[in-house]
Amino acid sequence: MNNLSSVWLFIRRRKYLITLLAFGVIIGILDENSWSRRWQYEREIQQLRKEIERYRSEYEESTRMLQELTTNPEAIERIAREKYLMKKPNEDIFVFED
């Protein structure tokens, strides 16, 4: 009984501190809008922004290449030789890989 009364006395004396700590734990960790989840969401947003930027640069490069292919017939030949290893009948191709 003495232990129970000492615990009750501890709780009564520090009830505001215990309430603030419980509130902090609920808001900081357990809540759906907690700081930890907000931090995770912010990291995810940053990752998605980097991905958007990467796809945007790929899109611009593809658009530039498409524009070049539609206006320049030598570009078609260059792309065919580089990407698809096509050659003229009297040529030999040497492919170097890193």
Side-chain angles (χ1 to χ4, degrees), residues 64-78:
R64 186 193 58 77
M65 187 176 271
L66 179 64
Q67 181 67 25
E68 184 180 351
L69 287 174
T70 57
T71 59
N72 190 0
E74 291 146 5
I76 295 173
E77 182 180 350
R78 181 177 50 83

Side-chain angles (χ1 to χ4, degrees), residues 16-33:
Y16 296 114
L17 179 62
I18 293 170
T19 304
L20 286 174
L21 287 176
F23 180 74
V25 167
I26 289 172
I27 295 298
I29 299 170
L30 301 176
D31 190 34
E32 189 172 314
N33 297 320

Side-chain angles (χ1 to χ4, degrees), residues 29-87:
I29 299 170
L30 301 176
D31 190 34
E32 189 172 314
N33 297 320
S34 67
W35 291 324
S36 61
R37 287 202 185 176
R38 286 183 181 258
W39 184 67
Q40 289 173 351
Y41 292 152
E42 189 62 35
R43 281 187 23 213
E44 186 177 342
I45 287 170
Q46 292 301 324
Q47 181 183 7
L48 291 173
R49 284 183 180 159
K50 287 178 185 178
E51 196 172 321
I52 287 171
E53 188 59 37
R54 187 187 69 188
Y55 286 132
R56 184 173 290 136
S57 65
E58 285 180 17
Y59 171 76
E60 289 171 358
E61 178 66 26
S62 297
T63 303
R64 186 193 58 77
M65 187 176 271
L66 179 64
Q67 181 67 25
E68 184 180 351
L69 287 174
T70 57
T71 59
N72 190 0
E74 291 146 5
I76 295 173
E77 182 180 350
R78 181 177 50 83
I79 296 295
R81 287 173 178 265
E82 290 176 1
K83 275 195 168 182
Y84 303 110
L85 302 176
M86 294 182 172
K87 65 179 185 121

